[in-house]
Amino acid sequence: VSSHSGERRHRNLRTVFSSSWNLLTSGERRCFSTLWVFRSPFSTCAAAGITGSSPEVLGALCSKSLVENSLNGRYELHPLLREYSRNMFNGDYGILEDRHSEYFCGELSSMVQEINTSSSSEYMETISRSYPDFIAGVKRALDKGMDLPLKGAMKALRIYFLRRGLFLDGSEIFRKAVDLMRSRKDPLCHEFMVDLGSFLGKLQRYDQAIPFMEKAGLSGDDLVRSRANYESGVIYMRTGNLERAEEKMLKALEYARTAGDPGTEASALAGLGDTYNHLHKPEKAEYFMKQAIGISRRNGNLMTLFSCLVTLSNIMYNGGRYEEALSYAVKALE
């Protein structure tokens, strides 16, 4: 009975949709039949960039209850209407999906320079609002081997995954990226191996993570080698092999300074500080943490800065320097 009732309800809804469809102009039909490409609420800009839809036509579809206009100015389709939209589309599905992928990969790539600054929360929220579309866009680019700004898009996604704790999503996406770049014999393969290894490490799959780090460490790029050694050092620290962690962090710092990248240098310095804190060498730990804090402040790397301030606060507290510990904790909160 339930099944028949559901079928009747869907049949009735299709009848209502068809009635509404028949009342649309040709432009409104063309617009509505492309909106299935969005998996989440979308902006006027995204609709224009991907489907060529104008605000006026979207407004007309809202007035006819085929599209919902939310308070924040974004548009959304009910899942059944999205299905109907796809069924009414008479164009090339692949071309529209490619446009969707190109748009959202481009959006991610444009965020890279700012996502670690004081405006980072704004960019994080932008990704969260359209997360299904960003993920679908990147996955299609990777599956199809599309020639898009993947490096920037993947870097922005990596930061998002880390901050949101989406380590499983990160491992899935970066495994696809490694497979694609390996098939192309692209140097980016080593960079993505570091990211994949990092996410696997955070999932405590250390035996899977370390081989990727070792392969990435063979890269001819000092920046990649620095990151590979740093992430290996983190894993060795977590598993209690502190001497090995120290060795890896020192290499990470050496390669970072050779590469001349302040962000990676700050991470390596922080990694050394953390390692010496675990080795119960507070003076060395404090020294390296303060260096990392100085570089992170100048470089605007809020994630590393926050982590260093928290660790330095703990070092001070453990050493009985309570006022200094409180001061660094307050700075971390700020």
Side-chain angles (χ1 to χ4, degrees):
V1 176
S2 172
S3 175
H4 290 311
S5 175
E7 288 176 9
R8 263 199 315 274
R9 186 163 59 252
H10 282 186
R11 191 162 53 245
N12 291 339
L13 283 171
R14 282 194 293 270
T15 301
V16 171
F17 295 161
S18 296
S19 299
S20 299
W21 173 266
N22 291 332
L23 295 175
L24 298 180
T25 65
S26 59
E28 290 166 352
R29 288 181 182 180
R30 187 165 53 251
C31 170
F32 177 74
S33 68
T34 62
L35 298 180
W36 58 267
V37 78
F38 294 104
R39 281 78 167 171
S40 54
F42 54 92
S43 65
T44 304
C45 183
I50 298 168
T51 71
S53 305
S54 68
E56 293 75 21
V57 174
L58 288 170
L61 292 173
C62 288
S63 67
K64 295 174 182 178
S65 300
L66 288 172
V67 176
E68 182 180 348
N69 191 357
S70 62
L71 293 176
N72 61 9
R74 298 171 77 79
Y75 301 93
E76 187 172 7
L77 265 71
H78 185 280
L80 289 175
L81 280 167
R82 182 173 183 263
E83 181 184 348
Y84 187 75
S85 164
R86 186 178 178 88
N87 289 337
M88 300 309 292
F89 182 65
N90 61 4
D92 189 314
Y93 289 87
I95 289 176
L96 193 56
E97 289 278 23
D98 288 349
R99 286 181 192 158
H100 175 274
S101 179
E102 183 177 358
Y103 179 88
F104 281 101
C105 284
E107 286 288 290
L108 280 172
S109 188
S110 70
M111 299 178 191
V112 170
Q113 298 303 318
E114 303 295 333
I115 202 167
N116 261 331
T117 67
S118 57
S119 303
S120 62
S121 58
E122 174 189 337
Y123 292 97
M124 295 290 286
E125 183 57 32
T126 297
I127 297 174
S128 292
R129 280 198 302 261
S130 300
Y131 183 71
D133 283 297
F134 281 114
I135 291 299
V138 170
K139 281 185 175 179
R140 182 170 182 84
L142 293 171
D143 288 339
K144 298 292 182 182
M146 295 168 66
D147 199 11
L148 297 177
L150 273 175
K151 182 175 181 178
M154 296 296 285
K155 186 174 181 180
L157 261 190
R158 174 172 62 84
I159 294 170
Y160 181 83
F161 289 146
L162 288 172
R163 291 192 183 177
R164 291 289 190 259
L166 299 171
F167 306 140
L168 195 58
D169 286 6
S171 66
E172 179 187 346
I173 289 287
F174 279 93
R175 194 177 293 277
K176 284 179 177 287
V178 167
D179 289 343
L180 173 62
M181 296 305 154
R182 184 184 280 147
S183 69
R184 290 180 169 183
K185 297 183 179 178
D186 192 306
L188 269 178
C189 182
H190 288 119
E191 187 169 336
F192 291 155
M193 278 181 176
V194 178
D195 296 318
L196 174 56
S198 174
F199 286 117
L200 290 171
K202 285 174 171 55
L203 291 167
Q204 297 184 6
R205 299 176 184 174
Y206 303 130
D207 58 331
Q208 297 177 37
I210 287 295
F212 283 112
M213 300 302 185
E214 296 299 331
K215 289 176 184 176
L218 300 175
S219 167
D221 187 325
D222 285 326
L223 188 57
V224 174
R225 284 194 283 188
S226 176
R227 290 187 59 227
N229 277 280
Y230 168 79
E231 294 293 349
S232 295
V234 170
I235 290 175
Y236 286 123
M237 201 186 316
R238 286 179 184 163
T239 53
N241 192 341
L242 298 178
E243 287 72 21
R244 187 76 168 137
E246 180 186 14
E247 176 189 329
K248 289 292 184 180
M249 291 301 181
L250 285 169
K251 283 186 178 179
L253 181 58
E254 177 188 343
Y255 287 128
R257 285 175 170 167
T258 303
D261 185 87
T264 309
E265 182 181 357
S267 294
L269 287 165
L272 271 172
D274 208 10
T275 302
Y276 287 125
N277 188 34
H278 282 78
L279 284 166
H280 305 294
K281 297 180 179 180
E283 290 184 2
K284 279 191 169 184
E286 180 180 345
Y287 171 77
F288 284 109
M289 279 299 174
K290 284 184 175 179
Q291 284 196 61
I293 287 170
I295 294 175
S296 297
R297 277 206 176 108
R298 292 192 296 273
N299 199 40
N301 189 327
L302 298 183
M303 195 185 320
T304 303
L305 179 59
F306 172 78
S307 176
C308 290
L309 288 168
V310 170
T311 303
L312 192 53
S313 176
N314 288 333
I315 293 169
M316 298 299 178
Y317 183 85
N318 292 334
R321 298 156 65 180
Y322 303 123
E323 288 188 8
E324 291 175 89
L326 179 59
S327 171
Y328 283 112
V330 169
K331 288 176 182 177
L333 287 172
E334 291 173 351

